[in-house]
Amino acid sequence: QLMNYSNGLLLNDQKHQLKIYGAYALTPEWTLGANVFIASGHPKTCLGYFGPDQSDPVGYGSSYHWCGGEPTPRGTTGFTPWTHQVNLNVDYRPKWAGQKLDFNLAIFNIFNEQKALQYEAGYGQTGAYSATYDLPYQFEAPRYARFSISYDW
């Protein structure tokens, strides 16, 4: 019973992804770069008690692919929102160091988008459903920056 209706989309399934990246050398020392990643959402899951009578035949509680007495394979309860992430970086390789020294500044998630990536799947039973069902619990990382220095021997 635990595996009934467990077929369907995988948790990391994304039907659409667009990745664009590139760099432009402003001078022999300075380079600007960008990465854009746009992706459709992941399938949501609803886990409840088994069958129309919402029983627990194998003792796993609210872990069956049934929701409110209806079978719910992954993706039948919707998808997480589309995500859009833009990352920028600037690179400086000074001539005075033989262009072996490199300073790099990268800023991730420029627009600080923090959409939900995962939602709570435990539904419970009709009339006694979980208060946390369908609440988001994982989000995109907020805007952050990385500064690095490297030297090529």
Side-chain angles (χ1 to χ4, degrees):
Q1 292 92 344
L2 193 60
M3 298 306 293
N4 286 358
Y5 299 103
S6 65
N7 59 335
L9 304 173
L10 297 175
L11 288 175
N12 64 348
D13 185 84
Q14 287 181 303
K15 296 289 184 204
H16 312 290
Q17 291 185 5
L18 176 64
K19 299 176 184 179
I20 303 169
Y21 54 92
Y24 181 74
L26 295 172
T27 69
E29 295 178 316
W30 289 93
T31 304
L32 295 176
N35 295 307
V36 177
F37 178 68
I38 301 170
S40 60
H42 299 279
K44 292 168 88 176
T45 302
C46 183
L47 300 174
Y49 282 83
F50 182 77
D53 60 346
Q54 300 181 48
S55 62
D56 187 8
V58 292
Y60 277 91
S62 183
S63 297
Y64 304 92
H65 291 275
W66 288 78
C67 197
E70 299 290 327
T72 54
R74 281 191 198 106
T76 57
T77 56
F79 292 84
T80 61
W82 280 65
T83 55
H84 317 86
Q85 193 164 107
V86 178
N87 308 319
L88 301 176
N89 66 69
V90 60
D91 197 65
Y92 175 60
R93 287 184 174 265
K95 284 185 181 180
W96 55 263
Q99 292 190 316
K100 292 184 176 186
L101 183 63
D102 181 38
F103 299 92
N104 183 280
L105 175 64
I107 303 173
F108 300 92
N109 197 4
I110 289 290
F111 300 113
N112 202 26
E113 186 174 281
Q114 296 179 46
K115 291 186 180 168
L117 298 175
Q118 290 187 352
Y119 290 81
E120 180 61 44
Y123 179 80
Q125 291 177 297
T126 302
Y129 67 92
S130 171
T132 60
Y133 170 68
D134 208 27
L135 290 178
Y137 70 89
Q138 184 182 14
F139 298 86
E140 292 178 87
R143 180 186 311 117
Y144 65 100
R146 178 186 65 207
F147 177 71
S148 62
I149 301 172
S150 63
Y151 186 82
D152 296 334
W153 302 102

